[in-house]
Amino acid sequence: MDTIDTDTARAVTGMDIYGRRIASRLMLGTSLYPSPQMMTDAINASGAGIVTVSLRRESGEARAGQAFWELIRGLGLDILPNTAGCHSAREAVTTAQMAREIFGTDWVKLEVVRDAETLQPDVFGLVEAARTLTGEGFKVLPYTVEDLSVADRLVEAGCRVLMPWGAPIGSGLGLNNRYGLRQLRAHFPEVTLVVDAGLGLPSQAAAAMELGYDGVLLNTAVAKAGDPVAMARGFALAVEAGRLAFEADPMAPRDMAAPSTPMLGQAMLGDVGGPGELR
């Protein structure tokens, strides 16, 4: 990150994840990269403080195994295992328990998916699994929808971080429901909110940060870019810019024009003494 003053650094960097201050507001996934080296280079370029790992998905690929897990640990970043691919609360709970044993962390990004086409969260299974896992001492970061009632249930279940989607996973559509995301931010000012899924461009990440969100999580937009390293850097700068804009208390939009140049002291032309002569 480029050099900035200390006060700005505190505003731009750092978000609270269950009492731990994370230096970066950008979180990055570890799937879909063309090579492990490209993944490492992109993560380093992003400045991300947290990387997510899908236990089920990675274990089903040819590159999976002890070498991959060691590569992830070697990044020196906080690891957030997720339960991607789980379609029931029971399945998600079991996967989270396995991930805690493998990675030695009680953090878990909780995913319980209902629909295979949209990958939309199963909100009933999500709340059920969240309640079970928090009861077992997990610090749960649920991937959810931008619905106030669902968010309220998750907070009641013990979640101190919520991760509403911007759009369906891997779609690159951006923020499909800015109104819903804005309302969620307003209703839960003390909860850490991270936009997760659907971002395709850095400008969309900046828009999420301008809404007051604490961070963004993405994977496909970087991993599938022609140049993942450049795209990772682009997202890092966008997250910084969006947070700076939010902290700066931006002007409110208005329907009518407002002159930016004052009228006082300008020469006024009139017709006294003849057409075109100065008053």
Side-chain angles (χ1 to χ4, degrees):
M1 182 178 293
D2 297 332
T3 302
I4 52 180
D5 64 81
T6 303
D7 289 338
T8 301
R10 281 196 292 267
V12 175
T13 64
M15 60 176 171
D16 181 83
I17 303 293
Y18 283 96
R20 188 187 304 176
R21 202 68 181 170
I22 304 301
S24 173
R25 294 181 181 273
L26 176 61
M27 304 161 72
L28 208 58
T30 56
S31 298
L32 305 175
Y33 291 89
S35 70
Q37 185 61 53
M38 186 66 74
M39 178 195 72
T40 300
D41 292 345
I43 291 172
N44 289 335
S46 75
I50 297 175
V51 292
T52 63
V53 178
S54 170
L55 185 65
R56 290 170 57 88
R57 187 170 295 157
E58 297 296 347
S59 295
E61 296 182 359
R63 68 174 183 175
Q66 191 63 31
F68 180 71
W69 306 136
E70 291 302 324
L71 175 63
I72 296 299
R73 291 190 183 94
L75 294 171
L77 304 175
D78 285 303
I79 297 174
L80 177 62
N82 68 43
T83 62
C86 294
H87 294 269
S88 70
R90 181 178 180 181
E91 191 178 15
V93 168
T94 300
T95 302
Q97 293 167 340
M98 293 171 58
R100 180 161 60 180
E101 292 183 12
I102 292 174
F103 293 106
T105 178
D106 54 8
W107 285 7
V108 63
K109 179 192 169 188
L110 180 61
E111 295 185 33
V112 183
V113 173
R114 180 66 178 179
D115 181 69
E117 292 296 323
T118 65
L119 299 181
Q120 179 168 328
D122 177 349
V123 296
F124 300 102
L126 188 67
V127 172
E128 178 186 347
R131 187 175 292 112
T132 299
L133 290 171
T134 55
E136 295 183 4
F138 281 90
K139 295 177 173 63
V140 180
L141 294 80
Y143 161 64
T144 183
V145 292
E146 71 288 7
D147 182 275
L148 294 178
S149 60
V150 175
D152 192 51
R153 291 287 189 271
L154 289 168
V155 171
E156 287 179 352
C159 299
R160 291 167 54 188
V161 179
L162 300 178
M163 306 182 77
W165 65 350
I169 293 173
S171 68
L173 293 173
L175 306 181
N176 277 354
N177 184 4
R178 294 195 185 200
Y179 171 80
L181 292 170
R182 188 178 295 112
Q183 291 302 304
L184 200 63
R185 177 72 285 176
H187 278 73
F188 297 96
E190 304 303 321
V191 176
T192 298
L193 298 180
V194 177
V195 170
D196 173 21
L199 301 182
L201 292 170
S203 58
Q204 297 164 352
M209 300 304 294
E210 289 167 7
L211 292 177
Y213 275 69
D214 297 283
V216 299
L217 191 160
L218 54 111
N219 187 170
T220 309
V222 170
K224 288 297 187 180
D227 185 342
V229 175
M231 186 62 79
R233 181 60 178 152
F235 270 102
L237 293 172
V239 168
E240 177 182 326
R243 186 65 188 187
L244 276 172
F246 173 74
E247 294 287 346
D249 189 17
M251 63 173 284
R254 52 183 293 160
D255 293 330
M256 301 298 292
S260 59
T261 304
M263 298 296 291
L264 184 65
Q266 286 189 333
M268 303 296 291
L269 298 178
D271 56 3
V272 177
E277 293 187 10
L278 292 175
R279 292 188 181 185

